[in-house]
Amino acid sequence: MASTFSRILGNRKASGILTLVGAGSLAAGYLLARDCVEAGSEKRKLYPASADYPDLRKHNNCMSSSLTPGIYARLRDKTTPSGWTLDQSIQTGVDNPGHPFIKTVGMVAGDEESYEVFADIFDPVIMERHNGYDPRAMRHPTDLDASKIRNGQFDEKYVLSSRVRTGRSIRGLSMPPACTRAERREVERVTVDALAGLKGDLAGRYYSLSNMTEKEQQQLIDDHFLFDKPVSPLLTSAGMARDWPDARGIWHNNDKTFLIWVNEEDHTRVISMEKGGNMKRVFETFCRGLKEVERLIAEKGWEFMWNERLGYILSCPSNLGTGLRAGVHMKLPMLCKDPRFSKILENLRLQKRGTGGVDTAAVGGVFDISNLDRLGKSEVELVQVVVDGVNYLIECEKRLQRGQDIKVPSPLASGRR
């Protein structure tokens, strides 16, 4: 079955891909060469699959839970049109048996076609990570109507900041685990050219990590906008840090409420953030800005990777669907000491982190609280889950401060389609 990308590429060639608006001759030539390679083609290896099968006996990630010798034998010699292999997809999970705080996914996609060519392993991993979502039978909804959010203003005695982020991948270019230098630079060119068209309160400037001045770098650090070279073995084993900082950068609007990270863990990370507890306004900026970026990308002859089963396509299967993480930094000094805290979060479909990220512990009772799900629910649904859940956590904290008891809420329905 032809991939979505192959169909799109076919349509582009019918209208003359070499004259595609916004695509340079290098990119057009790459796309034509890429289309000559059949998805799912095989590259025979010297040794049998049984001799190559990884030792996963001490592993605890989603990939190791689903991979079997039979699946490995079926998929080992297959390649995507860009030449990406199963072994490259699972390398990060092989190199990193487990994680002290979370059960990791243990694999990444190198391109859009990875999810089809290696579906025998990606599908069960997706089902485990996304609460039973079946990518062969279910359809993912998209909804960016921020007016539907209710009770989106939090008590700022408890909520310090609010943020919504997602990722987007540009169709036809390999993703960060697999991209060549030329592809990474093309992602930067296409994105920066499009962002130059943002107007009004969304207008801003791009800062290249390679070319920024020391003053600009310090300002981005002070604003907590700058992302660093990946040092986590989960990311370095997946190839995310290659050629750093080539073709990486940060764009933000003049108000510093809307940001785009270029070529970090995905082609783009789109972020809306503010100090305080106005999650509704943050989400409104997010939706408006994201729609405008997508429109400007389309005007240049490109589009984001998307299909109706998996939603928006990103490097890590954990971010499929919406790719959305809506979160707050909030103070919960009493609730965090209650033995029911983790169960409350679980039933509200929320997750907690330290404010420094997934690998950090909370300091002073301040947590980063965000949605656990990404796939199977729309953006509006997930933000509403966070809004309702954070308001519940605030009420629990208030009750504990008054010496009153709290209750563990009933588990949220999955809402899968």
Side-chain angles (χ1 to χ4, degrees), residues 258-306:
F258 188 65
L259 294 76
I260 312 285
W261 290 355
V262 178
N263 285 321
E264 189 228 12
E265 295 179 34
D266 288 296
H267 285 168
T268 62
R269 282 283 176 92
V270 181
I271 306 163
S272 175
M273 58 192 295
E274 289 185 20
K275 293 181 179 179
N278 197 333
M279 177 61 82
K280 184 176 178 68
R281 184 169 63 201
V282 169
F283 188 49
E284 287 172 344
T285 301
F286 172 84
C287 294
R288 182 164 53 89
L290 186 57
K291 291 174 184 176
E292 190 66 7
V293 170
E294 185 163 16
R295 182 186 68 80
L296 291 168
I297 289 282
E299 282 186 357
K300 301 293 184 180
W302 299 85
E303 62 183 335
F304 293 138
M305 298 181 193
W306 177 92

Side-chain angles (χ1 to χ4, degrees), residues 158 330-345 348 350 352 365 367 369 389-401 404-409:
Y158 301 94
M330 64 184 305
K331 295 184 289 186
L332 298 169
M334 297 194 70
L335 181 57
C336 72
K337 299 174 184 176
D338 192 289
R340 295 166 288 185
F341 184 35
S342 293
K343 187 63 177 178
I344 290 172
L345 291 174
L348 293 174
L350 299 177
K352 70 180 189 304
F367 290 84
I369 303 293
V390 168
N391 281 325
Y392 189 89
L393 296 177
I394 291 172
E395 183 57 31
C396 287
E397 183 68 22
K398 289 179 177 179
R399 289 182 66 86
L400 290 172
Q401 289 174 352
Q404 299 172 330
D405 194 21
I406 60 175
K407 295 182 179 180
V408 176

Side-chain angles (χ1 to χ4, degrees), residues 27 46 59 90:
L46 179 61
H59 287 57
I90 67 173

Side-chain angles (χ1 to χ4, degrees), residues 87-362:
D87 281 315
Q88 290 172 307
S89 284
I90 67 173
Q91 193 64 55
T92 183
V94 174
D95 290 348
N96 299 280
H99 190 280
F101 301 123
I102 59 174
K103 185 174 183 180
T104 59
V105 170
M107 65 185 306
V108 294
D111 48 32
E112 184 172 8
E113 295 85 352
S114 297
Y115 289 105
E116 293 297 326
V117 175
F118 309 121
D120 286 354
I121 181 62
F122 272 112
D123 285 357
V125 165
I126 290 167
M127 289 184 71
E128 179 179 357
R129 174 58 182 83
H130 293 285
N131 199 28
Y133 182 91
D134 184 351
R136 295 295 138 183
M138 296 178 177
R139 298 294 180 266
H140 173 79
T142 296
D143 188 349
L144 291 168
D145 184 356
S147 68
K148 297 177 181 178
I149 298 300
R150 308 177 309 278
N151 305 315
Q153 174 65 60
F154 300 127
D155 186 336
E156 296 188 355
K157 179 180 178 181
Y158 301 94
V159 174
L160 307 177
S161 63
S162 305
R163 165 176 163 160
V164 180
R165 66 88 163 153
T166 190
R168 291 292 187 265
S169 304
I170 298 173
R171 176 162 279 151
L173 298 172
S174 295
M175 293 186 284
C179 66
T180 63
R181 296 182 189 93
E183 286 178 288
R184 191 184 301 114
R185 292 165 186 168
E186 186 74 346
V187 168
E188 182 184 44
R189 185 192 68 79
V190 170
T191 303
V192 174
D193 284 354
L195 294 175
L198 291 173
K199 306 295 183 183
D201 66 324
L202 295 176
R205 179 186 167 188
Y206 180 68
Y207 299 85
S208 165
L209 265 61
S210 299
N211 301 324
M212 69 175 62
T213 66
E214 289 186 8
K215 182 179 179 180
E216 290 169 344
Q217 181 181 23
Q218 187 58 51
Q219 186 61 57
L220 290 169
I221 292 172
D222 293 343
D223 291 333
H224 304 288
F225 290 173
L226 190 67
F227 60 87
D228 296 322
K229 179 178 180 178
V231 294
S232 166
L234 296 171
L235 300 177
T236 56
S237 292
M240 301 292 193
R242 292 174 300 124
D243 308 308
W244 197 273
D246 186 51
R248 275 88 169 187
I250 300 166
W251 181 97
H252 68 72
N253 67 341
N254 297 325
D255 294 337
K256 299 183 178 181
T257 58
F258 188 65
L259 294 76
I260 312 285
W261 290 355
V262 178
N263 285 321
E264 189 228 12
E265 295 179 34
D266 288 296
H267 285 168
T268 62
R269 282 283 176 92
V270 181
I271 306 163
S272 175
M273 58 192 295
E274 289 185 20
K275 293 181 179 179
N278 197 333
M279 177 61 82
K280 184 176 178 68
R281 184 169 63 201
V282 169
F283 188 49
E284 287 172 344
T285 301
F286 172 84
C287 294
R288 182 164 53 89
L290 186 57
K291 291 174 184 176
E292 190 66 7
V293 170
E294 185 163 16
R295 182 186 68 80
L296 291 168
I297 289 282
E299 282 186 357
K300 301 293 184 180
W302 299 85
E303 62 183 335
F304 293 138
M305 298 181 193
W306 177 92
N307 67 57
E308 62 180 7
R309 295 181 299 101
L310 298 178
Y312 288 96
I313 306 298
L314 296 170
S315 301
C316 182
S318 67
N319 286 322
L320 290 169
T322 60
L324 182 141
R325 192 168 82 86
V328 298
H329 286 183
M330 64 184 305
K331 295 184 289 186
L332 298 169
M334 297 194 70
L335 181 57
C336 72
K337 299 174 184 176
D338 192 289
R340 295 166 288 185
F341 184 35
S342 293
K343 187 63 177 178
I344 290 172
L345 291 174
E346 178 185 339
N347 286 5
L348 293 174
R349 300 301 295 168
L350 299 177
Q351 61 183 351
K352 70 180 189 304
R353 304 178 177 184
T355 55
V358 68
D359 292 316
T360 63

